[in-house]
Amino acid sequence: MAEKYDPVAVETKWQKRWDETRLYNVDIEGADAPFYNLMMYPYPSAEGLHVGNVYAFTGADIHGRFKQLQGHTVFEPIGFDAFGIHSENFALELGVHPMELIPRNIENFTRQLKRMGFMYDWDRAVDVTRPEYYKWTQWIFLQLYKGGLAERRQAPVNWCPSCKTVLANEQVIDGRCERCSTEVTQRFLDQWFFKITDYAQRLLDNLEWIDWSESTKRLQRNWIGRSEGADIDFQIIGHPDKKLRVFTTRPDTLFGATFMVLAPEHPYVARISTDAQRAAVDEYVKNALAMDVVERRKAGEEREKSGVDTGAKAINPVTNEEISIWVADYVLMEYGWGAIMGVPAHDERDFDFATQYGLPIRIVVIPADQYEGFDPSAKLEAAFTEHTEDEVLVNSGKFDGVPAARAIKEITGWLAEQGRGAHAVNYRIHDWCISRQRYWGPPIPVIHCDKDGIVPVPEEDLPVTLPFVENFRPDESGVGPLARSAEFINVECPKCGGPAKRETDVSDTFLDSAWYFMRYPSTDRHDVPFDVERTKKWLPVDMYIGGEEHAVLHLMYSRFITMALHDLGHLPFEEPYHKFRKHGLIIREGAKMSKSRGNVVIPDEFVEKYGADAFRTYLMFLGPYEEGGDFREQGIAGISRFFDRVWDAVAGGELGDEPPETDELNQKLHATVKKVTADIAGLQYNTAIAAMMEYLNAARAGGRAARRSEVEPLVAMIAPFAPHLAEELWERLGYKESIFAGASWPTYDEKLALADQVDIAVQVNGRLRATIRAQRGASEAQVKQAALDEEAVQRHMDGMEVVKTVFVPDRLINLVVK
Ligand SMILES: [Zn+2]
Ligand SMILES: [Zn+2]
C-alpha cells in the first residue's frame, strides 16, 4: 500500500528546511535578475491574520514563486504596519499598553504567516514601531520640511469625536470616520500638512504611463479631481482693496451671474458685511460652523437652502451690474476659493437658492436650435444644466449667438486682457494633514521655541523616541497624550539653547507606509534610510499587489512621497511601483464576512484541517483573483482530492522514463503549460488550477500509471500554489536541490500546444452556423459557452432560448432553440 499524502507532515518538514537553508533570504547586493515582489504589509491586529490578508498574500506569493521558477531572484519582503489608530484602539479596547500588545501581535502574525508558507525574506522584516525604522520616517518629515513641502497651519480639520483625533480627507468615508464609523465633525486646529497639492498635476499625468489596474487609476483620477475653467475677480463696492475671487468651470455663463455666495469660513465675511446685516451674518456663521461635516455636505444636496445677505455688493465684470453677496453653508471653503458666482439658470443649487431668496435668474446659454426667436425674458422652471455640444449664448451682449465652447475661451481671454481673470485649473485633492493628536505614532521631529519658532530636530539627534506614557488615552483637548510626559516635552532649543518644547503630535500612520518598500532592501543599514546602490538595483517595485481600498490613501501618498524624495535628490525614480494590480474580495456562502455575523473564516482552523497548500489553492480557485469569490467550505475538499491524486501519480508508484504515451497527451501537456504560464502571468489563477486538474485527469485516464515526463512538469506548475507539496514531490523525483532554487518552470512547444485544439462544428437547430476552435477534450459547458459567444450563432438564435444541446466531444455541438 502506497504512502498517503499527509499535508501537515509535509508542510512542517519543508518550512523547517526552508528556514535552515535560508532559501528565501535574498543576496540583496549579489543577486542577478532581481524581481521585487511586494504586497501590502498588514497591520497586526490582536485577532490575528485575517483571511483577507491570506487571500491577498497568497495571490502575491504565487506571482513571486512563479517568477522565481522562471529564473528570477525574487525578493519578497514582509513587515508590520503596527503604528496608528487602528492598533491603538485595539490596545485601548483590551486595556493593554500598545508597547506590550503590539510585539505580541506581531509574534502571532509571524507564526501564522510562516505557517502559510509564504516565501518571505524574514531577515528583512520591518516593524514601523521600532526606533530603527521610524528614525527614518522622521528623517523623511525633515526632508520635506526643509524642501518647503511640510507646513504647520491652522485649518478646519475633520475631527472624529470617538477616536478623538483629526482625520485626513481620505479617511472620511461618507462623512464618517473610516475606522469607527462615527460622524466626523469640524475643528479648527494647528496641524501639519504635506503639500501634496503641489504634485496634483504630476500625480495625474503619470497615471498615463504607469502599469496599474485601470479601476485604481480611475479612483485616483477622480480623487485628484482636476477641472478646468477660470478664476474670476469681482470688485466689491466700497472695498477697492479687496477682490472676490471665484473659480468656475463655466466662464461662458458669466453674464448670468446674478449674485455671489461665500462659504461661512471665508475670511471676507466679517470684513464686508454691512452694519445693518452684521448681527444676522454673525448668527448664521456661528450656526453653520457648529454643524458637522456631514450636515454641511448634505446642505448642498437638499432643495431647501439657507443663507444670509451680507448687505455688500459686487460688480459683475461683464455686465457691470451690482449683485448682492450672500453667505451660505452649501458653499464649502474646500472647493475653489471658498466663494462662488451664483448662476441660477445653469446650476441647480444656485437655482434653488435664488428661487428661495427671490434673486434674479437669467438664461444665458441655450441649445442652438432655439436661438432664432428666443425670448430674452423667458422664465425657467428648473436650472438648465444639460451641457450639449450645440449650445450658444444669449443675454450675453456681444457674445450672443457665440457657441458656448468658443465663448469659454473668448470670455476667459477678455477677462485676462482686462486683468480680471485668467484660465485656471482646480483640483479636488487637498493637502495631506499628517499630524495626529494621538500616542501611537512617531513623534513629529520639531521643537517649538518662543524665540526661534519652529525648529526642526537636527538629523543627528534622530530618532525622537516615543516615550512610554502610561495613560495614552486621547482626550477632548485636541492636544496629544505626549504632552503628559514632562520629560519628553521639555527640551533645549537646538538653535538658541533656551528652554523649548517638543511637538506633541505624532505623524499619520500613512506616512509610515508611504515609504516602507524603500526600507526593505536596506534594513541592515542604520546610517541611511535606503542604500543608493541597492535602491537602484531593486526599485521601483516590479509587482505590487494589494487592495483597492488603498487607492486614494496609501497608493496616492506613497506616489507623492516618492516624487518628493526624487525631487529632493534622494531617489533616481519618481514612481514607486512599475506595476500594480488590485485583488478582489472574498465573501462566505454569499455573505460579507464580519465579526458580528460570526462568519469570518479563521485561517488557522482550515490550515490545521486541510493544510496550507490546500487552503492557499482553494482561495485562488474561488474566482478570478482580481475579482474575488465566494468561500464555501465543501469546496476545499475538491482541492484536497486533487492533491491526493497528484501525490498518488508521482509518489504512488514507479515512474517510467519514456516520453508521454500518446501524441494527444503530449499535446495536452504542452497546451496546459502554455495556458498555466499565461494564466499565472495574468493573475488568472482559478483557470490555471482548472487546467491542471483537467490535465491530470487526461494523464491518468482509465486509472493508468503516469510517466515521469507526464507529471514532472505538473509538479512544477503546482509549485507556486502548493509549494510544500511540490518540494516533497520534487525531492521524490530525485532532485537534491529545492524546486525554487533553479529555473524549474516547464517550457512548451508552441506547435504542440496548438495541435491540441480541434475544430468543432456549431449547429443551431441542426444547421451549421459556425466552426469554433477549442481545446481537445473541452467540456460541453465550455464548448457551449464558446458557441454562444459566436456572433453568427447569436444571429441565428434570434432571441430564442436553448432548450436542448447535443454534444459530440471534439466534433460537434447542436443547439436546439425555441
Ligand atoms: Zn473614529
Ligand atoms: Zn530657540
Side-chain angles (χ1 to χ4, degrees), residues 160 162-163 177 179-180 182:
C160 173
S162 165
C163 295
C177 170
R179 311 250 170 223
C180 71
T182 304

Side-chain angles (χ1 to χ4, degrees), residues 400-532:
D400 277 1
V402 174
R406 208 173 88 209
I408 290 180
K409 287 197 192 100
E410 289 183 5
I411 292 179
T412 307
W414 181 86
L415 287 166
E417 268 167 38
Q418 304 284 315
R420 292 179 186 194
H423 173 260
V425 172
N426 190 60
Y427 299 94
R428 180 173 165 253
I429 191 171
H430 285 83
D431 280 339
W432 173 16
C433 176
I434 62 127
S435 43
R436 296 290 179 275
Q437 293 71 49
R438 294 288 294 236
Y439 172 67
W440 195 234
I444 290 176
V446 300
I447 289 165
H448 299 274
C449 169
D450 282 343
K451 204 167 131 254
D452 301 303
I454 291 169
V455 182
V457 170
E459 282 177 27
E460 60 271 22
D461 292 349
L462 295 181
V464 178
T465 311
L466 179 69
F468 178 84
V469 174
E470 178 79 54
N471 174 17
F472 62 94
R473 187 173 285 276
D475 61 26
E476 286 295 336
S477 66
V479 179
L482 289 183
R484 294 170 201 156
S485 169
E487 223 177 297
F488 174 79
I489 59 165
N490 294 310
V491 67
E492 214 173 71
C493 170
K495 215 163 174 183
C496 69
K501 297 227 183 292
R502 279 194 195 281
E503 171 68 64
T504 56
D505 286 355
V506 299
S507 57
D508 181 6
T509 179
F510 280 104
L511 181 56
D512 306 325
S513 57
W515 76 282
Y516 75 112
F517 53 93
M518 299 177 201
R519 182 64 183 159
Y520 281 139
S522 304
T523 44
D524 54 329
R525 291 287 302 271
H526 297 289
D527 52 337
V528 286
F530 35 84
D531 175 86
V532 178

